Amino acid sequence: MQVVFHLGAPCTDGDQLILSLLKNRLRLAQAGIAVPPPGRYRAVVRDTARALKGRAAGEEVQDALLDAILDDAAVDRLVLSDPRFVCINRLVVQGPQIWPMIERATTQLRALFPTSPAEFFIGMRDPGTLIPALFKASRFSDFAEFTENMQPHAVAWSEMLRRLSVAHPDARITVWCNEDTPLLWGQIMRELAGVAPQADLDGVDDLVQGIMEEEGFARMQTWLTDNPPETETQRRRVLAAFLERYALDTEIQETLNLPGWNEALINEMSESYDADLDVIARIPGVTLLTP
């Protein structure tokens, strides 16, 4: 059984990815792919992982976990998603690092099913918008206090991914930029489910629908029906064209007014993030999805 851990990151897709995949739950189950509702496993997975502290789960523990998560079905691939698998939002960025505890947390997750091949999926986000989003989702009211122990200008996703790949050289790691998800949504769903690139899935336009004017989305659906794209690349061109014209400004533009953060710092972080993608593309064992 392959076990897939979608780690988030927090403040990226807001659980929409697993919700879209759940629309295909019955169809995927027929192919041996289990996509259980998050309520079935999030608490029990976190509690069991913490209790074991990295020790390999015995057969009884594994059987109990599967009984809690699944409906007595034969499973070849199990998809689990939780933006708090690694840690709470407040601890995502510490000092110059993203997820400084990633090695320990993922080792604990893998110990739940120690003989099962594991895959990790991560949606990355520009630290210049990620950190403010984490603050907004936290209970903090003071941004300076929230970022007291952070070095935002030094944060790099590649540093975390190197640590993850070294800790789990046998695990497949798939990443993408949150900023690209509207165009990559269908591919991400298929990669997560482990189905063919051309597999027909419901929900492949869920994210686009949420950030596009209703009229524009309806026109796009009509266009795609009347002019079925032959390749994923052609489909992305259609999505990009309709997004350019009909995207909701409130959903794709962010206004940041944060104490201690000026435009120069935010631009510097965005440029570093873009440059970091070239580094990530060369990390062994890491697959970077791009439009």
Side-chain angles (χ1 to χ4, degrees):
M1 179 181 70
Q2 298 174 322
V3 183
V4 179
F5 296 104
H6 173 226
L7 306 178
C11 299
T12 53
D13 66 80
D15 273 345
Q16 184 58 59
L17 182 55
I18 199 66
L19 293 176
S20 293
L21 208 53
L22 277 167
K23 293 182 176 181
N24 306 273
R25 184 183 179 191
L26 295 179
R27 185 191 318 175
L28 292 173
Q30 294 175 352
I33 303 163
V35 186
R40 290 284 297 269
Y41 60 83
R42 284 186 172 175
V44 69
V45 164
R46 285 199 300 264
D47 292 346
T48 307
R50 289 169 183 166
L52 290 173
K53 297 180 179 179
R55 299 188 303 271
E59 289 188 13
E60 290 186 3
V61 173
Q62 293 183 59
D63 289 343
L65 271 174
L66 290 175
D67 285 344
I69 296 171
L70 303 173
D71 297 318
D72 298 323
V75 172
D76 297 318
R77 185 177 178 87
L78 174 61
V79 181
L80 304 174
S81 174
D82 189 348
R84 296 182 63 184
F85 268 149
V86 180
C87 66
I88 60 174
N89 286 7
R90 173 63 182 88
L91 302 178
V92 172
V93 179
Q94 296 184 52
Q97 291 184 310
I98 295 174
W99 282 334
M101 69 296 291
I102 187 73
E103 301 99 313
R104 181 182 73 248
T106 49
T107 296
Q108 290 179 354
L109 288 173
R110 292 197 69 178
L112 299 174
F113 304 101
T115 61
S116 297
E119 298 183 25
F120 298 107
F121 284 75
I122 301 170
M124 305 177 294
R125 181 171 177 173
D126 183 343
T129 64
L130 172 63
I131 294 173
L134 292 170
F135 167 68
K136 186 177 180 180
S138 76
R139 297 180 179 179
F140 283 74
S141 57
D142 187 320
F143 185 69
E145 181 182 359
F146 180 78
T147 58
E148 183 177 3
N149 296 316
M150 298 181 189
Q151 299 173 32
H153 61 283
V155 169
W157 285 97
S158 61
E159 187 274 338
M160 180 275 295
L161 291 171
R162 280 200 184 97
R163 289 188 284 114
L164 180 59
S165 64
V166 168
H168 305 285
D170 60 326
R172 179 187 172 202
I173 302 169
T174 302
V175 301
W176 61 90
C177 294
N178 186 59
E179 296 79 9
D180 292 333
T181 48
L183 301 182
L184 294 173
W185 198 249
Q187 182 182 1
I188 296 169
M189 288 178 61
R190 295 181 184 99
E191 294 278 353
L192 201 61
V195 297
Q198 66 274 16
D200 184 24
L201 294 178
D202 294 330
V204 294
D205 289 328
D206 284 352
L207 189 65
V208 170
Q209 184 176 12
I211 62 175
M212 189 182 292
E213 294 176 11
E214 186 175 344
E215 177 190 358
F217 182 75
R219 288 187 176 184
M220 185 187 76
Q221 294 296 96
T222 299
W223 174 272
L224 290 171
T225 300
D226 295 341
N227 306 273
E230 297 181 1
T231 66
E232 184 66 19
T233 299
Q234 291 179 357
R235 193 174 198 281
R236 287 174 184 170
R237 288 173 182 164
V238 174
L239 296 181
F242 276 87
L243 279 170
E244 184 175 0
R245 182 172 181 182
Y246 294 107
L248 296 167
D249 291 342
T250 55
E251 296 293 333
I252 63 172
Q253 295 181 358
E254 297 181 77
T255 301
L256 301 177
N257 184 18
L258 304 167
W261 282 35
N262 55 33
E263 185 176 353
L265 173 62
I266 295 173
N267 289 340
E268 178 186 346
M269 293 170 67
S270 295
E271 291 172 2
S272 296
Y273 174 57
D274 290 340
D276 198 36
L277 298 179
D278 293 331
V279 178
I280 291 169
R282 297 193 298 270
I283 299 176
V286 175
T287 299
L288 173 63
L289 305 181
T290 57

